[in-house]
Structures are given as C-alpha cells and as structure tokens.
Amino acid sequence: MIRSLSFTLNGKAASVKTDDGRMLLWVLRHDLGLTGAKYGCGEGHCGACTVLLDGAPVRACSVPVKDAAGKKIVTIEGLETRAGLHPVQDAFLRHHAFQCGYCTSGMILASAALLEKTPHPSKAEIKEHLEGHLCRCGAHPRILEAVADAAAGKGKGGVK
Ligand code: FES
Ligand code: FES
C-alpha cells in the first residue's frame, strides 16, 4: 500500500511516500540517497545491509519500511558525531580492518550496537556477534582485533 511513513533518520526527522512493503534498504539507498548500507545477498544472510533500528542491528534488505515507521534509524552516514568518529570507526581505520569496504558499514554498525549493549565484550562474544557478517576480502581477523581494541577504549574517543 502506498502511504507516507515518518521516522528519525540519523538524528533528523524524515518521511517518505512509498509502498510500505518495500524493503528499508531500497528506501534508504534509492529514495533517500544513503548508499552506505550495501546490497549483498538480499536475503538476510551476509550483513552488508545492516543498519540500526532503535539501536538494534537489523538487515535492511529484509525489513519492510513500514516496520521502521516511528522508529530511530541510524546508518553508517549518521554514526559519526560532532565529537568525531565513533570509536569503532576509529579502530577500523587504525587496524586497516577492510579491503574493498563492502562489508564495512554493516560490520561497524553491528559492532557499535554490541558495545552499546555490552561495553567490554570478550573476544568470543565479539566473534559470535559478528558471526553472520561475511567479509569476502578476508579482513575478518583485523575486524575482530579492531572491535576488541575499541572495546578496550584504545584510540580516539573510547567507548562511553
Ligand atoms: S544484503 Fe542484507 S543481509 Fe545480505
Ligand atoms: S572488506 Fe571487502 S568484503 Fe569485507
């Protein structure tokens, strides 16, 4: 059904008029011009499309936009604040935790959500949390190191 839907997007009010059954990923990328969330598998299996919905990581390729109505959406474009990069972003840079970057926004947002909920996770918890995120470039070991570093409060910002 075509209707107007409103939500908070990266801290600002936003609305779209669209088929409410369309997947959130297409609305973000095509209607709102936010291309940080990537299209990988399109079936909820790779994590490339991850965004935060009310603070929880979701796979935007598998979430109808109507389910985001009235909620807070954060994409990679909105993770940095006036204070600077999020500690996970900073750690990814320091550890060169990417190659092509296709998985990166999903990895960072999922990790930021983990640290919000569990500020000092164990290495096993980090690994388990990112289990469903695929990196075709083999950067996974550096990604895990980066998240552990951010959790340890090393680098810029530290975890609040
Ligand atoms: S594109 Fe959404 S999980 Fe792969
Ligand atoms: S850096 Fe290329 S898919 Fe992860």
Side-chain angles (χ1 to χ4, degrees):
M1 187 198 315
I2 303 286
R3 61 185 175 117
S4 289
L5 300 166
S6 300
F7 36 77
T8 303
L9 179 58
N10 293 333
K12 292 183 184 158
S15 62
V16 287
K17 189 171 183 182
T18 187
D19 181 333
D20 64 7
R22 277 176 79 214
M23 293 304 150
L24 177 59
L25 180 62
W26 304 124
V27 174
L28 291 171
R29 289 182 59 87
H30 294 162
D31 300 12
L32 299 166
L34 297 175
T35 56
K38 304 296 187 215
Y39 174 70
C41 63
E43 295 180 347
H45 297 309
C46 74
C49 63
T50 299
V51 299
L52 304 182
L53 200 55
D54 281 349
V58 297
R59 310 239 154 153
C61 70
S62 305
V63 175
V65 64
K66 65 183 172 196
D67 290 357
K71 297 186 178 167
K72 289 181 186 165
I73 304 167
V74 175
T75 69
I76 194 68
E77 291 89 346
L79 195 60
E80 185 179 0
T81 65
R82 278 188 197 156
L85 291 177
H86 186 281
V88 176
Q89 291 176 304
D90 179 59
F92 267 59
L93 284 174
R94 286 186 290 106
H95 284 264
H96 306 290
F98 44 80
Q99 187 172 313
C100 77
Y102 209 80
C103 69
T104 310
S105 61
M107 292 278 192
I108 288 177
L109 285 166
S111 301
L114 171 65
L115 299 194
E116 192 64 40
K117 204 170 150 196
T118 309
H120 302 292
S122 65
K123 287 189 175 173
E125 285 173 310
I126 295 169
K127 193 169 176 227
E128 188 186 344
H129 186 75
L130 293 178
E131 200 82 344
H133 288 257
L134 306 182
C135 175
R136 63 187 175 183
C137 298
H140 222 86
R142 297 199 302 279
I143 290 167
L144 298 179
E145 280 170 19
V147 180
D149 228 32
K154 293 179 190 164
K156 205 170 139 195
V159 179
K160 286 176 235 130

